[in-house]
Amino acid sequence: MSIIYDNHIKFLFKNAWLQTIVPNYLQFSKITYHKRERHTLLDGDFMDLDYLLNNESSKIIILIHGFEGCSHSSYIKATANYLYKNGCNVLAVNLRGCSGQDNLKPYSYHSGKTQDLKSVIDAVKLKYTDISLIGFSLGANLTLKYLADYCHEPPVHRAIAISAPFDLEASAKKIVQSYISNQHFMNSLKRKLEIKKRTFPEEFKDLNIKALKNIIDVDEYYTAPQHGYSSAHEFYEAASCINPVSYTH
């Protein structure tokens, strides 16, 4: 039995998809955030911010979830719970449209939308003088891109980027290779796009949601045009944290 078990463990750690999927079913952190604040962005849209407040400390750690995640994703809750139990104040960010309520604009969040993160940090720094960032996956790319875009002004004392997709195009192509991972994201994205199409019928009258087969299609026909890019390729180039040039779409 031990030999079989050891072989299974070895297979798990060699398989990237299992490394991604299995931990979501192994982490059960039952936490209740102390409060939610709605942060208004410069364009009139919003992001919902969930807090675990431990003390009156001037320090806070901001958690940024991954693609199609939220403050209630297992990895965010597990991290928030650990930090809170160790005396930290925690802010779990919900990017646009990720808090359970659709955002107010036809466009939403994306991997390089550092203006939104800056807006949150600018608000948080009014109360907290010591700010740390922990980003996961898409949130890791966003964290690193933010530090590059605003390297002369960020009030961030330390940052951790976990599983950062430095090259977004290569990462997207890798996800598309996995039917399970691609379908997981597509189910969520298509639900959101259906809501967008009902809310903004003129804006999306030419978008055939059923024809979208993978996340690259979504970026080609939704993310890129909604944020002023000519194609998914241009968007990936602009939003990847590996590229030093700052873009502000």
Side-chain angles (χ1 to χ4, degrees):
M1 285 294 291
S2 62
I3 295 175
I4 295 174
Y5 178 77
D6 288 344
N7 286 337
H8 285 170
I9 293 296
K10 289 177 181 177
F11 176 73
L12 169 62
F13 283 98
K14 287 182 178 180
N15 188 289
W17 301 118
L18 289 179
Q19 289 177 31
T20 301
I21 296 168
V22 171
N24 286 305
Y25 298 95
L26 298 180
Q27 302 179 80
F28 303 97
S29 296
K30 295 182 179 180
I31 63 169
T32 301
Y33 291 105
H34 295 157
K35 69 172 182 175
R36 168 169 286 189
E37 288 183 350
R38 178 151 292 184
H39 175 71
T40 301
L41 297 162
L42 293 177
D43 61 358
D45 209 350
F46 70 89
M47 290 167 58
D48 286 328
L49 312 177
D50 291 328
Y51 288 85
L52 282 176
L53 299 175
N54 215 316
N55 48 55
E56 294 301 319
S57 170
S58 62
K59 299 180 179 181
I60 193 166
I61 300 175
I62 300 176
L63 307 181
I64 309 159
H65 62 78
F67 189 36
E68 287 303 283
C70 67
S71 63
H72 288 280
S73 295
S74 60
Y75 56 94
I76 293 291
K77 292 177 70 176
T79 306
N81 187 45
Y82 174 83
L83 294 171
Y84 175 70
K85 286 184 175 180
N86 282 274
C88 301
N89 293 315
V90 181
L91 162 56
V93 167
N94 292 282
L95 299 174
R96 298 186 193 227
C98 294
S99 65
Q101 182 176 343
D102 191 34
N103 63 305
L104 305 177
K105 300 294 182 178
Y107 49 85
S108 186
Y109 74 101
H110 70 65
S111 308
K113 209 172 184 67
T114 54
Q115 314 96 301
D116 287 359
L117 181 55
K118 181 182 186 300
S119 179
V120 170
I121 292 173
D122 284 348
V124 169
K125 73 180 182 182
L126 298 177
K127 183 175 181 181
Y128 298 94
T129 57
D130 189 304
I131 299 173
S132 301
L133 302 179
I134 303 178
F136 299 80
S137 192
L138 177 148
N141 184 85
L142 194 59
T143 295
L144 296 175
K145 195 85 172 71
Y146 163 80
L147 294 173
D149 284 355
Y150 303 101
C151 59
H152 300 298
E153 58 175 288
V156 173
H157 291 75
R158 59 200 67 82
I160 300 174
I162 300 171
S163 299
F166 296 99
D167 184 332
L168 293 176
E169 186 160 19
S171 298
K173 289 178 179 177
K174 192 70 174 178
I175 289 173
V176 169
Q177 290 175 8
S178 168
Y179 175 82
I180 294 176
S181 294
N182 184 69
Q183 286 304 116
H184 168 75
F185 289 126
M186 287 303 294
N187 289 339
S188 177
L189 290 168
K190 283 187 174 183
R191 284 195 298 269
K192 288 184 176 181
L193 287 175
E194 291 289 356
I195 294 172
K196 290 293 186 193
K197 194 162 186 174
R198 290 196 298 270
T199 307
F200 304 96
E202 284 301 310
E203 187 85 23
F204 295 106
K205 63 182 180 181
D206 296 325
L207 180 64
N208 184 353
I209 297 174
K210 291 183 178 180
L212 303 176
K213 302 301 182 183
N214 54 56
I215 63 170
I216 297 177
D217 286 348
V218 173
D219 288 333
E220 181 72 28
Y221 298 104
Y222 170 69
T223 310
Q226 280 297 319
H227 291 92
Y229 298 105
S230 63
S231 65
H233 174 74
E234 185 185 42
F235 161 63
Y236 293 143
E237 286 289 306
S240 294
C241 65
I242 199 171
N243 295 324
V245 180
S246 175
Y247 294 81
T248 56
H249 289 322

